[in-house]
Amino acid sequence: RGDRLPHLVAALFTALAEDGPLVLVTDDMHWATPVMLEGLLDVVAQVRGRVLLVAVGRPDMLEPTLGGSSPWWRALPEVEVLPLLPLEQSASERLLRAYLGSPTGEVDASVRTSLLSRAEGNPFFLAELLHLLVDRGALVREDDRWAVVGELPEGLLPAGVRAVLAARIDGLDGPTKGVLRDAAVLGLRVTVDGLVAVGQASGHGDPEQVRVAVGRLVERRLLEADSDEDAYRFGHTLVRDVAYAGLAKVDRARRHAAAARFAETAQALSPEAARSAEADAAAASHGERAVRLATEMDLPPDDPAWAGRGIAFAALARLGHDALGRDDNPVAEQVLARALALEDSTLPLSMVVPVRVGHAQALAALHRLDEAEAELAGALDAVEDGVRAAALVVLGEVRRKRGQVVPAREAFVSALAAASSAGVDRLAGEALRQLGLLDYFDGRLRDAEERFRQAHALAVQVHDPRGAGWALQHLAWSATTRGDYALADRTLEQAAEVFSDLEDTGGLSWVAGTEGFVRLLQGRLSEARELAQSVLPLGQAIGERWGVAALLTIEALAAAELGDVEAAAEGGRQAREQFAGLGDAWGESLALTAQGMAARGADQPERAVQLLAEAVRLSEQGRYPVTASLALVVAGYAELDRGNLGGAEAAAWRSSALLAGLDLHPSGTLGAKVLLAQVLRARGDLPAALAEIDAALAVSETAALLFPRRQAIAHRAGILLQLGRVDEALAAAREAAATPSEDVRAQVLALRVLGSALRAVGDRAAGDEAVERALEIARSTGQRSEIAATERLLAS
C-alpha cells in the first residue's frame, strides 16, 4: 500500500476491460506474502469493468488475515470459493495412462494400485512418483507396455511430494545435482552463463559439463527450456525449494555471493545507457542473502561469502539514487536503508557517505525530518566540497520544512559556495532553486523567479533535465501566485515536455497540480477542481504527502467557491491534517483558509473567523505574507457577515499592508481593495467606497487570489445605486451579470444588484425575475450565506 504500482496496474486492467471481458489469473496463491495480498486488494478495489479474477492455490491460501480477524479474501467483491477436491479413482487412472503415453498405458495392477493410493488424487504428486520410478530404472518401457523391473521395493515410494522430489534429486550424479542446486540459488529462471559462474564457486563450472548436466535435468523434467536461448526454468517451485533445501547454509552463502558477482559482472559489461535495474536488483538480493547467511554461520572474515556485501551495497546505492532521480522517494528510502544495513568497516567512506546523503534526501522528502538530519552528521563534516554541498542542500531543505527560514538560508548559501568550489554545477543549481523557494515563501516573488531562472539555465548548461524541469515548475508556481498567468502557462508547458521526456510521473503530477492552481486563481473553478481530482490518485499512489495535501486544498478552495460547501469543509480538513502532520505551516494556513471559506458559505461567520484567524497566525509566524493576506481578506468578509465593521476594516488594512511589500500583478490587490470599499460603503462613506473600487478595477482585468472581477463590478453597481445614479448602476449591474464567473456568490450578487437596478428604473417584473433567479441559485448549493439577504430583497 502506498506504492504507485497497484494504481497503475489497475489503470491498465481497466483499459483492457474496455475492449471486452478480461480474465486475470494469479497462481500459487499459497505463496503470497501479506504485501502481495494487500497489493492485490488495492488493484481489485480500483479496477472497473467486466473483470473476472481467478486466484488459484492450496487451501492454506485462504488463511491469512490482514489487520483484522476476517480472512483477506472476504474483501474481494462478489467472491466465490471453489474447493478443488482430489481426483476420483477413475480420473486418476485416466491421468496415469495419459502420463505413461502408450495406447494401453498399462502397468501391473499392484504397481498401479500403489501409485494411485500414494498420490491420493494429486496430479503433480502422481507425475513425480512416475518420474522417480523411471529415474531409478524401476519402471521401463517394453514396446507399448510399461513394466516393473523386479519387485517394487516397499521404501521406493516415499510419502509426500517433497520427499519424492528429494529422492529424485538424490538419485542424480554429482555434477548434475550440483548444477540443479546452483540453479536453485539463482532463482526460478536461469541461464547457462549464470550456472557456469555460480558453479565455478563450487568446483563444477566447466561450461561443457554444465551444458551436459542441464540436458540431463531437462530430460528428467526437473528443468524446462525457456523461450530465450540458453535460458531454463524450474517446472515447479517445489523442485527449486527442495533442491535449495539440500544445500548447507555455508554453501548457500558462497553460491549467493557468486550469483551476486555474476549479476554485477553482467551489469559492468553493459553500456551505461542499457544498465539494467533487474541486474542490480539480482545483485542486491543475492549479496544480501550471502551476508545474512555468513552472519548466521559466523564465517571468518576471509570467507568468499562476504564478497556479497560490497556488491549488494553498490547495487542498492544505484537503485536508490535511480529512485531519487525519478522522485520515487518511498522506494529510494527503503532501498538506501537496505544498503546502509550492510555497512561495516570494510566499506570505504567514499561509498557510504553518498548513500547516507541520498537516504537523508529521501527522508526529508517524506518529511521524516529528524531522521534526515541525523543521517547527515558525517557528511556535513566531509572534507570534499561536493559531498558537503550535497549534505548542506538536504540540511537546508530540512530546516525550510521546519519553518527555520534563517538557518535554511544559511545552509543553502553554504551549499552554493561549496558546490561552486567543487565545480558541481548540478548541486549549485539545486541550491539556487531552494533559495528561490525561500524567497517565494517570504513573498519576494520577483527575486524567487530570478533564482529559478538561474537554476534553470544552469541545469540546461550541465544537461540536468530533472533540475531544469523542477526549476520551470517552481517558476510557474511563483508566476501563478503573482498573477502572471501567461508566463505560468508557458512555463508549465515547457516543464511538462521535460518531465514527459524523463517519463517522470511525479514531475508531471506536480505540473498538473500547478496548472490546477493557475485555473483556480483565474476563476476557472470547475477545471481546477477536475484537475486536482484527476491527479490526486497518482499523488496518493506514489506516497507524495505534501502534493496530496496541496491537491486537496486546491479542490477544497474550488469547491467552496462552487457552492459544494460540505466537500470543501471535508477536503480542507483532510488537507490541514496532512500539512500539520508534515509540520508545514504554509500549507496548513492555506487549508485553514479553505475551511474558513466553507464555513462562511455555510453561513457560519463566527466559525469562519476563528479558522481564518488561525490561518493568519500560522502565516505570520512562518513569514508567509501571500497566504496571510488571502486569509485576511476572507476573514474580513466573514466579519462583514456578522456586522463587525471594525474587524473587517482592520483585516482590509492588514492585508493591504502585507501585499504592498510584494511584487504582485495589480490584480493581486483586488480582494483587499474591494473589501475596504465594502467597509466604507457599510459606514455610509459612499464616494470613498466608489473611488476605492474604481481604482481597483482600473488596474485589474483578471481575477486573482480567489476574488472574481464579477463580484467587484456587482459591488460597484450597488454603490452607484445607493448614490442614486440609477442608470450607471443598471449599466454596471448588466456588466456584472455578463462577466463570466463560476463562483456561486458572484452569480447571486450580480443577479441581486441587477434586480434592484431594474426595479429602480421601474421594471419591477424583470427585477423580481432576476432576484428570484438569484435565490434559486443560492438555494441550489450548500452556500447558504446569501440566502437570507436575497429573501429579504425579494420580500421588499
Side-chain angles (χ1 to χ4, degrees), residues 82-395:
L82 297 173
L84 296 184
L85 301 176
L87 294 177
E88 295 179 354
Q89 181 76 9
S90 59
S92 293
E93 289 183 357
R94 290 199 303 275
L95 183 60
L96 178 58
R97 287 196 295 271
Y99 279 148
L100 293 172
S102 63
T104 58
E106 290 297 330
V107 294
D108 294 340
S110 60
V111 175
R112 183 173 65 251
T113 301
S114 181
L115 287 170
L116 296 178
S117 63
R118 189 63 56 91
E120 297 179 340
N122 184 321
F124 178 66
F125 194 178
L126 179 59
E128 290 304 312
L129 287 170
L130 284 171
H131 289 316
L132 177 62
L133 291 178
V134 174
D135 290 347
R136 297 283 178 90
L139 186 63
V140 295
R141 185 155 185 177
E142 297 177 352
D143 297 325
D144 61 353
R145 179 182 176 82
W146 288 86
V148 174
V149 177
E151 293 185 3
L152 194 66
E154 184 63 29
L156 191 59
L157 294 179
V161 69
R162 287 179 178 270
V164 172
L165 289 170
R168 291 192 64 203
I169 292 169
D170 285 341
L172 298 172
D173 62 76
T176 306
K177 188 188 303 182
V179 168
L180 182 66
R181 286 176 172 161
D182 291 340
V185 168
L186 282 167
L188 288 173
R189 185 178 181 278
V190 299
T191 63
V192 170
D193 288 344
L195 292 170
V196 170
V198 175
Q200 289 171 348
S202 48
H204 49 263
D206 177 73
E208 188 56 38
Q209 188 181 48
V210 168
R211 289 185 182 279
V212 170
V214 167
R216 290 175 183 155
L217 293 169
V218 171
E219 287 175 5
R220 298 198 176 196
R221 297 189 181 180
L222 293 168
L223 290 181
E224 299 174 357
D226 205 356
S227 54
D228 295 338
E229 186 179 356
D230 278 349
Y232 300 86
R233 65 178 183 271
F234 282 93
H236 197 283
T237 54
L238 276 177
V239 178
R240 185 205 173 193
D241 293 345
V242 174
Y244 189 79
L247 279 169
K249 285 188 176 182
V250 172
D251 291 331
R252 291 183 202 172
R254 292 168 183 164
R255 295 189 196 199
H256 276 300
R261 189 180 300 107
F262 167 71
E264 180 190 47
T265 303
Q267 186 81 294
L269 294 175
S270 300
E272 180 62 25
R275 195 166 61 80
S276 164
E278 184 179 1
D280 271 336
S285 175
H286 286 299
E288 286 176 302
R289 287 194 180 194
V291 171
R292 186 165 57 249
L293 289 163
T295 303
E296 286 180 22
M297 301 306 294
D298 196 22
L299 297 180
D302 59 348
D303 193 282
W306 292 111
R309 186 191 300 278
I311 296 170
F313 189 92
L316 289 166
R318 288 191 294 269
L319 290 168
H321 283 101
D322 283 350
L324 284 175
R326 61 178 184 270
D327 300 305
D328 195 346
N329 295 301
V331 168
E333 190 281 321
Q334 293 168 9
V335 171
L336 294 175
R338 283 169 57 193
L340 292 170
L342 293 168
E343 180 188 355
D344 78 339
S345 58
T346 64
L347 296 176
L349 286 177
S350 59
M351 284 181 66
V352 174
V353 172
V355 172
R356 287 202 172 279
V357 174
H359 189 227
Q361 181 183 340
L363 289 168
L366 296 170
H367 288 262
R368 293 163 58 180
L369 304 180
D370 291 343
E371 296 173 69
E373 187 169 3
E375 197 77 286
L376 292 171
L380 291 169
D381 298 328
V383 176
E384 301 87 350
D385 285 339
V387 173
R388 194 167 66 258
L392 283 165
V393 167
V394 179
L395 178 64

Side-chain angles (χ1 to χ4, degrees), residues 560-561 563 565 568-569 592-612 630-642 675 678 706-708 711 715 743-746 749 752 782-787:
E561 292 292 274
V565 172
L592 277 163
T593 301
Q595 286 186 281
M597 291 171 63
R600 185 187 172 218
D603 201 18
Q604 300 170 352
E606 289 79 10
R607 172 163 170 75
V609 168
Q610 291 174 354
L611 289 165
L612 293 160
L630 174 59
L632 281 165
V633 169
V634 182
Y637 277 97
E639 294 285 18
L640 274 181
D641 291 342
R642 64 178 187 170
L675 172 60
Q678 284 294 88
L706 304 176
F707 200 92
Q711 281 195 45
H715 286 313
D743 77 298
V744 172
R745 184 173 283 106
L749 286 175
R752 206 160 67 201
Q783 199 167 69
R784 298 186 293 272
S785 57
E786 299 299 325
I787 293 177

Side-chain angles (χ1 to χ4, degrees), residues 1 29-42 61 63-67 72:
R1 293 190 185 278
M29 285 295 293
H30 43 272
W31 297 117
T33 64
V35 172
M36 169 64 186
L37 295 176
E38 287 179 348
L40 178 65
L41 293 176
D42 267 0
M61 68 178 275
E63 296 173 3
T65 58
L66 301 176
W72 69 273

Side-chain angles (χ1 to χ4, degrees), residues 443-620:
R444 298 197 301 275
L445 303 184
R446 291 284 188 185
D447 292 343
E449 289 170 32
E450 181 56 30
R451 300 265 200 194
F452 296 146
R453 287 190 180 93
Q454 291 174 3
H456 176 254
L458 197 55
V460 171
Q461 178 183 324
V462 299
H463 307 292
D464 175 19
R466 179 177 175 274
W470 282 110
L472 289 166
Q473 192 275 332
H474 290 340
L475 178 58
W477 187 272
S478 179
T480 299
T481 305
R482 193 166 49 79
D484 191 345
Y485 304 131
L487 173 61
D489 281 335
R490 289 197 307 273
T491 312
L492 282 175
E493 186 175 347
Q494 294 172 0
E497 289 178 4
V498 172
F499 288 128
S500 293
D501 290 342
L502 293 172
E503 298 183 355
D504 185 337
T505 53
L508 283 170
S509 67
W510 268 107
V511 169
T514 306
E515 188 178 345
F517 196 50
V518 174
R519 300 292 175 260
L520 179 71
L521 298 187
Q522 287 178 318
R524 295 158 65 178
L525 305 173
S526 297
E527 289 181 41
R529 191 178 189 189
E530 183 179 347
L531 265 171
Q533 289 174 334
S534 68
V535 181
L536 190 58
L538 179 59
Q540 293 168 330
I542 65 177
E544 176 51 72
R545 294 169 62 196
W546 196 95
V548 166
L551 291 167
L552 285 169
T553 304
I554 292 171
E555 185 184 0
L557 291 168
E561 292 292 274
L562 288 166
D564 193 351
V565 172
E566 290 186 5
E570 177 59 20
R573 182 193 66 77
Q574 292 180 21
R576 181 188 178 187
E577 288 181 357
Q578 293 257 27
F579 280 126
L582 296 172
D584 190 308
W586 181 87
E588 190 177 354
S589 65
L590 200 57
L592 277 163
T593 301
Q595 286 186 281
M597 291 171 63
R600 185 187 172 218
D603 201 18
Q604 300 170 352
E606 289 79 10
R607 172 163 170 75
V609 168
Q610 291 174 354
L611 289 165
L612 293 160
E614 178 64 10
V616 173
R617 185 190 70 78
L618 286 172
S619 292
E620 292 184 335

Side-chain angles (χ1 to χ4, degrees), residues 622-672:
R623 295 172 56 186
Y624 305 133
V626 175
T627 55
S629 66
L630 174 59
L632 281 165
V633 169
V634 182
Y637 277 97
E639 294 285 18
L640 274 181
D641 291 342
R642 64 178 187 170
N644 182 6
L645 298 184
E649 185 174 14
W653 284 116
R654 283 177 68 189
S655 176
S656 295
L658 286 169
L659 294 174
L662 307 180
D663 190 11
L664 291 179
H665 188 278
S667 61
T669 61
L670 181 63

